Amino acid sequence: MADTHIGGLSPNEEREFLLETAVNDVYEAVIDDEEDEDLDEDALWFKEELAKHKTLHWIYRPSVLHACFLGGVFCLSSTLSAGAESVVLYQLSCNSVAIDGICDPVEAQVLLSNYTQYSLIFDSLIPCLVSAKIGELSDQYGRKIFIALFVVAYTIQRIVTYYLFTRSTQLPFIPLILAVIFSSLFGGVSSTIALIQSYTTDVVEAHQRIFSIGLVQAAIMIGQGVGPVIANLLINIFGNGIDKIDVNIVPKNSAQVGTVVSPSQLIPLRAEVIVLIIVSIFTVFVFPESRGEKARSKSRSSSIATTNKSNNVIDQLRAIEQPTVFEKVIRYMNIFKPLKLLTYPDSLIPQSQKHVATRHRFVVITMISLTTIFVSTHLTLGQILVQYSIFRFDMNTVQIGYLITILCCTASFMLVVVSPIILSILKKYFKLNVLKKQLDMVDFCMIIWGRIIEIFSYIVLASAKTTSQMYGAAALLEVAAPTSPAVTSALLKFFPSSKTGELFGAIAMVQNVFNVFSPIAMMGLYKWGLRNDFSTVTFVLYAWMSAGYAAIYFLIKKVLRLNRYTNEELLIRSNSELSLASSS
């Protein structure tokens, strides 16, 4: 009787197959290196998830497309009603301060400014307190639930806002603020954008992160740019172009006020509510979860292990016991715990990287600090660009629209079309290696290239003499758009995938603190420049800051001893050589 072999293999091939299988099983079972173990687990789970996803219909398969659609449409809805809401708020403010039917524009502006101030404070401080915890919990229980919670809460806030606008003849100050507080309790816009970025990193491999994060940012910018265009189109079609406050200007800088808001002004707000309801339905019922059960379980185990970590044997024994309900509540209420990630603690450093822990810690802390300062100081850049354009070139509404369109379209084109070409050139033509555990030369070149472009663009902005030159400088500024996803991708390499959401949340928490103060400082500097015949002072400062960032990244490159020949094998070999030398 003929012998049967595996899959019709010959005896020699069968022995080789069994031997290879046994070696792989033993390797996966007894491997000691923490870095390799973490890498193997993550890679194995990622492949398992990809195989599982391929069996699903594309609409239920987590992908970058879902993140792009959600981020783009959500931001479209927010800018869809921005102009109309400003008009409505001013109308209601006029009604609130009117005496005998006469509105003092100054008093109306003061009331509206007070509302805007309190709204911004609550919309920054509350997310600051909850964003880091939301990021941590999203690692443990999935991204979808927290994204969906905020989207639904924000939709409710906008429905309430629309209802108040249609039923009020004066500014409903307190109800509007309460609606803002309600949605802020679920993380705010900044935390949700951070979760969408985390979602993106969950569904792509490390070498695809720069392009994928860039795609999401491009979708967000396209949504922001298209929103006002759609709003104007809707008003022109359904409102006969009436998008102004229906008041009659009378002598002594006063205005006779109306009692109700014009229906035309509510059209964009109504459209926003419809879009948000569609987004909410999509997020709750269609939007797929990006993190598998194994990955979520690992994050929960990692969190418990980190919380219970102690050098005291008694404490370790106590940690084994089931925590009480009170202990669980205290653990979950510790909103500042994720901030420890920003110090790059030893518990996150793989065993094979212990010999370079000090260098990597310096790099991580420096990159996080630079990113936080850069984003917060540039938060008012768009507003300063618009105000400077009006002040210097007397731009009208149409020209300002062109400026915003140029900014959004150029950034989107760079992120979607040019960025992958540059990445391909760096990898294939210049033969630069992509590293998985630290910043590499591809990241470094993308970052430095963007900073150099920024320096030149700010110089052109400061020296622009015509409207056309202003448009060109704005376009040049957005040529540096691929820098942001490169920084984000490089920073993520230092952290395990089980901490991605927690890291984004911790950064968002610090970012929100800076966002409360830095816009005030930058706008104060701009106003100082106007009073002292130095209106371009902010552009000069931004240019020097970009030069400083570039210099610091050259320092980071030197600290990491990074060059075009650096690769993962050299890093592992260096570790092995150090271990052998230590043993000797």
Side-chain angles (χ1 to χ4, degrees):
M1 188 174 184
D3 294 336
T4 58
H5 301 286
I6 299 175
L9 298 177
S10 66
N12 289 335
E13 291 174 335
E14 179 180 343
R15 283 193 296 271
E16 290 178 1
F17 173 79
L18 293 175
L19 178 60
E20 181 180 353
T21 303
V23 170
N24 286 334
D25 291 342
V26 172
Y27 176 79
E28 293 177 0
V30 303
I31 190 169
D32 294 326
D33 189 293
E34 292 180 10
E35 177 192 9
D36 292 341
E37 181 181 4
D38 182 67
L39 181 62
D40 287 347
E41 282 186 351
D42 290 343
L44 179 61
W45 295 343
F46 187 77
K47 290 179 179 179
E48 288 179 355
E49 289 298 319
L50 285 182
K52 187 186 301 182
H53 295 162
K54 290 179 179 179
T55 63
L56 303 174
H57 190 274
W58 68 269
I59 200 170
Y60 299 110
R61 185 186 309 158
S63 65
V64 178
L65 179 63
H66 288 87
C68 289
F69 176 80
L70 180 60
V73 177
F74 180 81
C75 290
L76 182 148
S77 70
S78 64
T79 58
L80 186 65
S81 63
E85 184 175 5
S86 299
V87 173
V88 172
L89 287 172
Y90 185 74
Q91 171 73 80
L92 297 177
S93 298
C94 270
N95 294 345
S96 298
V97 301
I99 300 177
D100 296 330
I102 302 297
C103 165
D104 183 350
V106 175
E107 292 297 325
Q109 285 288 343
V110 170
L111 177 60
L112 184 56
S113 298
N114 287 336
Y115 165 75
T116 303
Q117 180 181 12
Y118 282 105
S119 177
L120 288 174
I121 289 174
F122 286 114
D123 208 20
S124 297
L125 290 182
I126 295 178
C128 170
L129 297 176
V130 301
S131 58
K133 197 62 184 180
I134 287 176
E136 178 188 4
L137 294 177
S138 74
D139 285 333
Q140 302 173 19
Y141 300 101
R143 317 287 186 206
K144 174 179 177 175
I145 181 174
F146 296 99
I147 294 176
L149 281 173
F150 173 74
V151 170
V152 172
Y154 185 78
T155 302
I156 293 173
Q157 178 211 333
R158 300 309 298 170
I159 292 174
V160 171
T161 300
Y162 174 76
Y163 176 82
L164 292 172
F165 284 167
T166 58
R167 295 294 185 270
S168 303
T169 57
Q170 297 184 356
L171 182 67
F173 194 102
I174 300 300
L176 287 176
I177 293 296
L178 291 176
V180 170
I181 293 175
F182 170 74
S183 65
S184 298
L185 290 172
F186 295 90
V189 175
S190 60
S191 299
T192 304
I193 298 298
L195 285 176
I196 292 176
Q197 288 183 321
S198 301
Y199 186 98
T200 306
T201 62
D202 291 338
V203 297
V204 297
E205 298 184 28
H207 66 276
Q208 299 173 320
R209 283 176 180 168
I210 295 179
F211 177 61
S212 299
I213 294 175
L215 278 179
V216 176
Q217 292 183 357
I220 290 173
M221 291 179 181
I222 292 173
Q224 291 174 337
V226 171
V229 176
I230 296 178
N232 291 335
L233 184 63
L234 291 174
I235 290 175
N236 289 329
I237 294 175
F238 300 103
N240 300 319
I242 303 173
D243 61 341
K244 299 182 296 183
I245 300 176
D246 188 15
V247 298
N248 298 315
I249 302 299
V250 296
K252 296 185 180 179
N253 199 28
S254 298
Q256 184 175 0
V257 301
T259 56
V260 294
V261 176
S262 169
S264 297
Q265 299 161 13
L266 295 174
I267 292 174
L269 292 161
R270 192 179 303 122
E272 178 199 23
V273 169
I274 293 173
V275 171
L276 283 175
I277 290 175
I278 295 173
V279 173
S280 295
I281 294 173
F282 168 79
T283 307
V284 173
F285 297 104
V286 179
F287 191 68
E289 174 56 52
S290 61
R291 288 179 65 76
E293 179 57 37
K294 291 182 179 179
R296 298 198 298 269
S297 298
K298 180 179 179 181
S299 294
R300 291 194 292 269
S301 301
S302 175
S303 176
I304 295 173
T306 304
T307 304
N308 295 334
K309 188 175 182 180
S310 174
N311 294 325
N312 190 311
V313 177
I314 296 178
D315 290 340
Q316 293 179 0
L317 292 175
R318 289 175 178 173
I320 299 176
E321 300 177 0
Q322 184 69 20
T324 63
V325 175
F326 178 76
E327 290 172 339
K328 290 182 178 179
V329 171
I330 294 298
R331 180 184 301 164
Y332 283 111
M333 290 298 290
N334 185 7
I335 60 176
F336 299 105
K337 173 178 167 286
L339 292 179
K340 187 178 180 181
L341 280 182
L342 304 184
T343 64
Y344 201 50
D346 290 336
S347 58
L348 295 180
I349 302 175
Q351 187 63 36
S352 63
Q353 302 294 324
K354 293 293 185 182
H355 63 291
V356 292
T358 302
R359 280 185 278 166
H360 282 197
R361 183 173 292 110
F362 168 80
V363 171
V364 169
I365 294 176
T366 302
M367 289 182 64
I368 291 175
S369 301
L370 288 178
T371 301
T372 302
I373 295 172
F374 181 86
V375 173
S376 62
T377 53
H378 285 66
L379 194 63
T380 55
L381 176 59
Q383 187 176 354
I384 291 174
L385 276 175
V386 171
Q387 293 187 13
Y388 177 77
S389 300
I390 296 172
F391 168 77
R392 181 70 175 80
F393 304 105
D394 294 323
M395 285 190 180
N396 54 35
T397 304
V398 175
Q399 291 173 317
I400 292 298
Y402 289 154
L403 178 65
I404 296 174
T405 301
I406 288 172
L407 290 170
C408 294
C409 291
T410 305
S412 301
F413 178 78
M414 291 300 302
L415 291 167
V416 176
V417 179
V418 179
S419 178
I421 296 176
I422 297 175
L423 290 171
S424 179
I425 292 173
L426 292 175
K427 295 175 185 178
K428 296 181 179 179
Y429 181 78
F430 290 99
K431 307 296 183 181
L432 300 182
N433 295 318
V434 176
L435 306 181
K436 297 181 179 179
K437 294 297 182 180
Q438 68 167 55
L439 179 142
D440 52 46
M441 283 300 295
V442 175
D443 303 323
F444 176 78
C445 290
M446 294 288 288
I447 294 170
I448 294 300
W449 170 72
R451 296 298 179 242
I452 293 174
I453 293 295
E454 287 173 353
I455 295 172
F456 282 104
S457 63
Y458 288 128
I459 293 174
V460 176
L461 280 171
S463 58
K465 303 298 182 184
T466 65
T467 301
S468 298
Q469 291 178 1
M470 189 69 181
Y471 288 154
L476 180 62
L477 179 62
E478 292 304 327
V479 171
T483 301
S484 178
V487 172
T488 302
S489 174
L491 189 57
L492 288 173
K493 292 179 180 180
F494 291 92
F495 293 85
S497 59
S498 58
K499 296 291 184 180
T500 300
E502 189 174 349
L503 173 65
F504 276 121
I507 294 177
M509 185 176 188
V510 177
Q511 193 68 68
N512 283 323
V513 174
F514 277 84
N515 290 349
V516 175
F517 305 103
S518 58
I520 299 175
M522 298 308 297
M523 290 302 298
L525 178 64
Y526 175 68
K527 289 187 288 186
W528 176 88
L530 291 175
R531 297 190 190 99
N532 292 273
D533 196 24
F534 191 12
S535 58
T536 59
V537 61
T538 51
F539 301 141
V540 175
L541 176 62
Y542 284 142
W544 278 106
M545 291 176 67
S546 295
Y549 294 151
I552 294 175
Y553 270 102
F554 273 104
L555 175 62
I556 288 174
K557 177 178 178 293
K558 185 175 181 180
V559 169
L560 290 175
R561 301 172 186 175
L562 193 64
N563 57 57
R564 63 179 302 172
Y565 303 107
T566 305
N567 56 50
E568 301 287 359
E569 293 181 359
L570 289 177
L571 293 175
I572 297 173
R573 188 180 299 118
S574 299
N575 180 48
S576 302
E577 291 172 355
L578 287 174
S579 300
L580 289 174
S582 176
S583 300
S584 299

